[in-house]
Amino acid sequence: MSGVEKFVGREEELENLHQLLQNNDRVAIAAIAGMGGVGKTELALQYAIQRRETYNGGLCWLLPKTGDVGIQVVQFARTQLDLKPPEDFDLLAQVQYCWRRWRDGDVLLVLDDVSNYEEVKPYLQSLPSRFKVLMTTRQKLGRIAQLSLDVLQPETALELLKFLLKETPGRIEKELALANQLCEWLGYLPLGVELVGRYLARKQDLSLAEMLRRLKNKRLDERSLSKSKSEADMTAQRGVLAAFELSWQELEDSDKELGCLLSLFAAAPIPWKLVEQCLPEEDAEDLEEIRDDRLLNLHFLQRKGEGIYQLHPLLREFFQYKCTGLEQAEELKRSLCRVMVAVAQDIPYSSTLEQITAVSPAIPHIAEVANHLIQYVNDNDLTGAFIGNARFYEGQGFYNQALPWYNQCLEVTKERLGEEHPFVAESLNNLALLYYSQGRYSEAEPLYIQDLALTRKLLGEEHLDVATSLNNLALLYYSQGRYSEAEPLYIQALALTRQLGEEHLDFAQSLNNLAVLYDSQGRYSEAEPLHIQALALRRKLLGEEHPHVASSLNNLAGLYRSQGRDSEAEPLYIQALALRRKLLPEDHPDVALTLNNLATLYRDQGKYNEAEHFCIQALELRRRLLGEEHPFFALSLNNLAKIYHLQGRYTEAEPLYLQALEIFEQQLGVNHPWTVKCRENLANLCDRLPPPQ
């Protein structure tokens, strides 16, 4: 009996298997179930080797795929046990004769690779209780006790790879990160790790980086995944592709179609409702039957949670390999794209935590469409997948993760639709808005100007998209302290959105923007009614619990602060903070904004402990989310310095003022109101510092 030289990572499974076989009054039939390549035969073999003393009546290894099990039993009994069952008995009677006269002691029967249990079941019916039957199978066998064998744990897969390369010590350690990536690409499948490890052992000059590159390039056709004739000591008789092919042959056409569709999704858990949406013509119960009775039963598919399923990475590669020859492949790709683009288009710009959580499982699959299937998306939906991914990250304040999606959107749109297209203008606007959020104002401005000019040219002066472009460019000018340039743009935008009617969210946005500008200019009597109107409109259209309502509460509170009406401002700030913490992730720039505002309120009231507490929270959030070159980070530095300043903690305040001033001057210029105020604060502080010794 052979077997691998060192059996890695299955100690617990071996013990569980032994208990499973022993804990039965009469006959224990345990099925080691799992997809091809997971190590079912090797586990059975190692169990037989390690427990040989338990089964003093011997081991009988049977191969149902190679012929009738009854004939194999009789042949074994004649050659190994010197039994002579009467030839005038039928086959079943001969087998029962052999069972009755078998060598004394406990016996282990191994049936390796059972595909049809009903064919072997008659021979097992009259077994004496001293016989234990162990089957390996790719299927679930009803009520039979079952040990489901999964892939290796990451650390165990790495241990196996190290062992296979033991002749070249240090090879794994030298490229440890790549070794882990290699195991991950193989999905921690024992057969895949063993084949690749043996291949690398034969090719000592082949780097792990090159091996990984070849696998990604040639995928299942890579020769390292095929069994070499020189590997006579391997338990597995096939390469990865051949192992999977056996199960593929057991599938019906409808099973194959569903498997191929699943392979088009990303290598991530798949919500089943998305699968059903991709096949609207199919009956949901029929799909459920294929999933449960075929793909799950044959271990092509794994259930990851309620309504969530996933293909093993190499099985995904296998189904994609098969998909190339499937007649319905093109339509399946188009259908998946339609569904994922529709999901992406429903992701709002200002997402709540609930919305983020709900859409999170779909994000990898939207990304898969954008990255690998965009040619199957029609022109009218071209930007949807890119924008959806970007909004998902942008809505959480993860601007760096959103940026590549907006850049990619602009490139793909220009390439397919040309330089002058509304989608190009939209892409310019989205990219500019992200730069604005990152505090990269000088990069945002030319994009906004391009977007506005292109939108006017393509859609006309009266189009609502022109109002959006005007609003965004005005917001940039406002943030740069260029109030006189911002105001006429805001007024134009307000006039355009008013045409939609005075109960429209875009109109509420224009009211809010103009109000914030007037507030900053000290035009409080003009700002207040606009703030109040925007808040009322947002509450009416969106309800009390929405991020836009929180923004209006925060902005109205800011107006009251500017007027010294602190008793009216404080409850609004507290409401805004509670709403934002409830609706948004805790780590969100808007949460930091309200924390900062509350800190300045408490500072001016002389509540320095509360002010410092909120200001430090805002500072750390902004450091983490926006980086240390963002004007908002500098603003929090300035505010914390002012708190220390007012408490006489001058030596703590000075370095913060200096750091804030450097950022303001670099990002906003020397004449920006924030720069000027910070410079004044620093000058006042310097008057109070003790002279140098």
Side-chain angles (χ1 to χ4, degrees), residues 48 74 110 115 130 157 192 336 371 391 434 464 471 487 536 547 557 610 669:
V74 172
V110 179
S115 59
R130 63 192 180 95
L336 172 64
N371 286 329
R391 283 183 173 175
L434 186 66
L464 184 59
N471 257 321
E487 185 174 359
E610 292 96 322

Side-chain angles (χ1 to χ4, degrees), residues 127-241:
L127 272 176
S129 60
R130 63 192 180 95
F131 285 77
K132 304 298 181 184
V133 179
L134 171 60
M135 293 183 289
T136 72
T137 180
R138 298 164 188 267
Q139 302 180 355
K140 294 180 180 177
L141 303 181
R143 297 180 180 178
I144 297 172
Q146 180 168 297
L147 175 68
S148 292
L149 197 59
D150 205 347
V151 296
L152 298 172
Q153 292 297 312
E155 59 275 12
T156 307
L158 186 64
E159 182 187 348
L160 175 58
L161 191 61
K162 283 182 181 178
F163 171 74
L164 293 166
L165 298 179
K166 63 182 181 300
E167 299 301 325
T168 51
R171 193 170 173 189
I172 293 294
E173 287 73 10
K174 189 168 65 175
E175 298 182 273
L176 186 59
L178 285 165
N180 280 306
Q181 289 178 44
L182 198 59
C183 293
E184 182 182 10
W185 193 92
L186 293 165
Y188 310 108
L189 184 71
L191 176 60
V193 176
E194 184 173 3
L195 286 169
V196 168
R198 287 171 177 267
Y199 185 81
L200 285 165
R202 296 199 308 273
K203 296 183 175 291
Q204 296 189 19
D205 291 332
L206 182 63
S207 70
L208 270 60
E210 175 59 18
M211 184 74 264
L212 187 59
R213 187 198 68 78
R214 291 182 186 181
L215 285 167
K216 289 180 177 179
N217 185 40
K218 295 185 178 180
R219 301 162 74 173
L220 293 186
D221 285 328
E222 163 53 32
R223 65 185 63 191
S224 63
L225 294 179
S226 300
K227 188 173 186 293
S228 169
K229 293 179 181 178
S230 64
E231 306 294 357
D233 61 332
M234 273 189 70
T235 303
Q237 299 300 307
R238 307 174 184 88
V240 171
L241 191 57

